Amino acid sequence: MIRILVAEHLPLVRRGLVASLDGEDDLRVVADVGSGEDIVPAALDVRPDAAVIDADLPGVDGLTAAARLGEKAPRCRVMLLSAQPSPGHFKRAFAAGVLGYLSIEVAPEHLADGIRRMAAGRRVVDSELAVAALEAADCPLTPREHEVLRLAAGGGHSKDIAAELGLSVGTVRNHLSRILVKTGARNRVDAVRIATDSGWL
């Protein structure tokens, strides 16, 4: 019997996942939660073999929760389900130790089979997403440009970024200009989106 924790913020979707998984002879949902904050406490309480987590949870998102779960309950295998999977998110998920990554629109029987394969220690990946991740370009940014963009992604203005990195405001603006050119972005918000989707942030 594979014991499963389900984390999904939409009650109707969560109930559907629970009912679908509980309908399998060898799967049993031992906990279901509606927020990322509740995942680790629930996992420590019921000790599941696997966790099926919505990647797009509000607040503590699924990827952050999965990383925390990996630290606190490393024996629990994690499957992320995403409504809008991107190569960047896919790469970050596997770097965080996630074993499964599928579209939230996956057929119930494929999800169940994926959990079985994941519980056996195998990776479970949406094939189209895997191809897109392999085709994603390497990051063109220098380490300093990457740091500037990371701080910009966190909402920092040029003055804040300059103070954080010990640079002049002019130098930060120069870095941001080069970032826009290298990413082909229209502005810094667009650059952050492109970098995130590509797995560079």
Side-chain angles (χ1 to χ4, degrees), residues 14-24 27 29 107-109 111-112:
R14 186 169 70 249
R15 287 178 196 142
L17 284 168
V18 170
S20 172
L21 295 173
D22 272 343
E24 299 289 328
L27 306 180
V29 176
E109 62 272 19
L111 175 60

Side-chain angles (χ1 to χ4, degrees), residues 121-133:
R122 300 201 299 270
R123 284 190 173 176
V124 180
V125 184
D126 181 284
S127 57
E128 290 184 11
L129 189 58
V131 170

Side-chain angles (χ1 to χ4, degrees), residues 26-41:
D26 58 340
L27 306 180
R28 180 177 167 216
V29 176
V30 292
D32 64 276
V33 298
S35 73
E37 292 89 346
D38 295 332
I39 292 174
V40 170

